[in-house]
Amino acid sequence: MDATSPALRPPLRHRVPPAARTVLAWGGIVVFPLLLVLTVGIISSDGRPYVNVLESVPRYLLPVIVMALPATMLRRSPLTTLALMLVGSAGMTGAINVDSPGYLGDLRYLQLFAIDLVVGFVAASRPRRISVGVAVLALCLQIAIGYVNPVGDDPVFEPEIPILAMVAAWMVGNSVRARRQYAEALRAQATVQAVTAERLRIARELHDIVAHSIGIIAIQAGVGSRVMDTQPAEARNALRAIEATSRDTLAGLRRVLGGLRPVPQDAEPGSASLHPSPGLADVDRLAATTSAAGVRVEVCWRGDRRPVPADIELSAYRVIQEAVTNVVRHAGTARCRVSVEYRAEDLHVEVTDDGHAAPVSGTGHGIIGMRERVGLLNGEFSAGPRPGGGFRVSATLPLVDPVPASATPR
């Protein structure tokens, strides 16, 4: 699809230069009084709607042009447009000879239609307290104009038709304004919800990255400081573990910060993320890092290992990471067990330990973050003490139910 395709063409008012639109708007206002005087002189001469010089001009053309000229200022100043239309309506109605009742009635319908359209626009674009006053004032003037030169029994000269037309025009315009305000409120609410969801996602991501890594670093630093003089080799191993964990943490932080930066227009697809998101393939590396911190992690794989959606894989990894971190920091045990089971319709992960000290309670940020991650994917989550002692964290993530993209954790 090229730039000349109708779907890619900008609206007409965006294609017209602003200077041209300004000249057009003020040009109509300048021409309006001149054309109004000319029209009044023509339709009032000899009791006929036009003179011999303009016999080739349709009898309704000049009144239509006169009523349409103020519309060039409709967007800039609808109240000015309405005032000029009322002036033109009064002038043309008073100038027509009473011997032309049919023409006068037709002209009256035209005037009501044009004025009511402007009132509807005012009701759609201005506050209600302004539009109601404008509608009442315009209605009173319309009724008064109808009595300037009344002829025959045409109902258009009675107050009923102007009142009904004005009420209908105002209600339609007010309905348009109400729907526009409602749509703006929905957009604002959606924006607030999206910002809140993004803040929660970033908070969960940073918590999962920093809490685990800092815990491992703190333990390794403590081990290194205690054995530095007596066991230099163990101290070196602790420093290597601190270095590796720190590099992984920096990589995760770069990934999060890279996602917050705007992507340049000339950037290649996928270049916003400096590092791939972790997944279940990193569980073994997580277990090795945790084992170096003094807690041996036994990983058990069950079922047919197969690719799963990236959002589910990331959430499963984060649940395992947070649960293992809680074991290292709070469980007071030297081992834990991680189970990853691939089922036909879901992915089940479980982290258990036999520690004597209970991990963080359900009010901790880690437990809350795990529950939120699983809940966003329509999964089931549980965390609590085991009957025989220790603690158990379990999460089941469905693989078949579609999840809305706006609710998917990244």
Side-chain angles (χ1 to χ4, degrees):
M1 184 179 295
D2 55 13
T4 60
S5 175
L8 298 180
R9 292 175 185 171
L12 179 60
R13 71 184 189 91
H14 294 298
R15 287 183 284 167
V16 178
R21 293 200 300 267
T22 302
V23 171
L24 179 63
W26 289 104
I29 299 302
V30 171
V31 175
F32 172 76
L34 303 178
L35 193 60
L36 176 60
V37 172
L38 176 63
T39 303
V40 169
I42 291 175
I43 63 179
S44 62
S45 62
D46 299 330
R48 295 181 298 166
Y50 50 86
V51 293
N52 295 332
V53 179
L54 297 176
E55 285 185 352
S56 60
V57 179
R59 65 191 311 189
Y60 295 102
L61 180 60
L62 285 179
V64 169
I65 295 176
V66 170
M67 296 299 294
L69 276 178
T72 58
M73 287 287 291
L74 185 58
R75 286 186 174 274
R76 294 172 179 265
S77 180
L79 299 182
T80 301
T81 300
L82 180 61
L84 293 177
M85 284 188 174
L86 289 171
V87 171
S89 175
M92 288 186 291
T93 301
I96 296 179
N97 191 282
V98 296
D99 294 333
S100 304
Y103 179 65
L104 182 57
D106 294 341
L107 191 59
R108 175 73 169 162
Y109 281 110
L110 169 65
Q111 294 168 357
L112 291 180
F113 178 75
I115 293 173
D116 290 345
L117 280 181
V118 178
V119 171
F121 183 84
V122 173
S125 58
R126 295 295 187 272
R128 185 174 300 173
R129 64 180 184 276
I130 295 178
S131 65
V132 170
V134 169
V136 171
L137 180 60
L139 178 60
C140 294
L141 293 177
Q142 278 185 322
I143 295 176
I145 291 172
Y147 287 104
V148 171
N149 201 357
V151 291
D153 298 328
D154 198 327
V156 75
F157 293 99
E158 300 297 330
E160 289 80 3
I161 288 184
I163 291 175
L164 291 176
M166 180 64 68
V167 170
W170 184 88
M171 291 182 65
V172 170
N174 185 68
S175 176
V176 171
R177 183 186 64 85
R179 293 186 63 182
R180 184 184 297 119
Q181 289 181 342
Y182 179 70
E184 291 176 355
L186 287 181
R187 286 194 294 269
Q189 183 180 4
T191 301
V192 172
Q193 292 177 348
V195 171
T196 302
E198 185 66 10
R199 290 178 61 185
L200 290 175
R201 183 191 71 83
I202 295 173
R204 286 194 302 268
E205 197 75 11
L206 290 177
H207 177 274
D208 293 340
I209 293 173
V210 175
H212 171 78
S213 302
I214 296 301
I216 299 298
I217 290 174
I219 293 175
Q220 292 289 352
V223 172
S225 65
R226 284 194 297 268
V227 301
M228 182 178 298
D229 297 329
T230 58
Q231 301 180 30
E234 290 297 329
R236 282 193 297 272
N237 293 334
L239 291 176
R240 293 193 185 97
I242 291 174
E243 180 185 7
T245 304
S246 300
R247 293 183 183 277
D248 291 341
T249 304
L250 287 175
L253 291 176
R254 290 193 187 100
R255 183 181 65 251
V256 173
L257 296 177
L260 297 177
R261 295 192 182 98
V263 182
Q265 296 182 353
D266 56 349
E268 298 180 358
S271 61
S273 178
L274 302 179
H275 299 275
S277 299
L280 294 176
D282 299 301
V283 171
D284 292 329
R285 183 166 57 88
L286 174 67
T289 303
T290 307
S291 298
V295 177
R296 186 168 62 88
V297 179
E298 178 185 353
V299 181
C300 179
W301 300 91
R302 298 176 181 175
D304 182 18
R305 296 183 63 174
R306 61 188 185 276
V308 297
D311 52 352
I312 294 178
E313 190 164 353
L314 174 60
S315 295
Y317 175 83
R318 290 305 189 196
V319 169
I320 295 172
Q321 182 187 45
E322 178 62 27
V324 170
T325 301
N326 285 341
V327 172
V328 173
R329 298 174 62 184
H330 306 288
T333 182
R335 60 185 298 273
C336 69
R337 178 184 178 88
V338 175
S339 175
V340 181
E341 182 178 359
Y342 290 82
R343 300 173 180 174
E345 297 183 352
D346 55 51
L347 176 69
H348 179 76
V349 297
E350 183 178 278
V351 179
T352 57
D353 66 82
D354 55 358
H356 301 291
V360 178
S361 63
T363 59
H365 292 293
I367 298 294
I368 294 175
M370 289 188 287
R371 182 174 286 109
E372 287 178 348
R373 283 185 179 276
V374 176
L376 288 174
L377 296 173
N378 297 331
E380 298 179 358
F381 176 82
S382 63
R386 299 170 62 192
F391 203 81
R392 174 179 177 270
V393 173
S394 174
T396 302
L397 302 172
L399 299 176
V400 293
D401 293 335
V403 179
S406 60
T408 302
R410 292 171 287 176

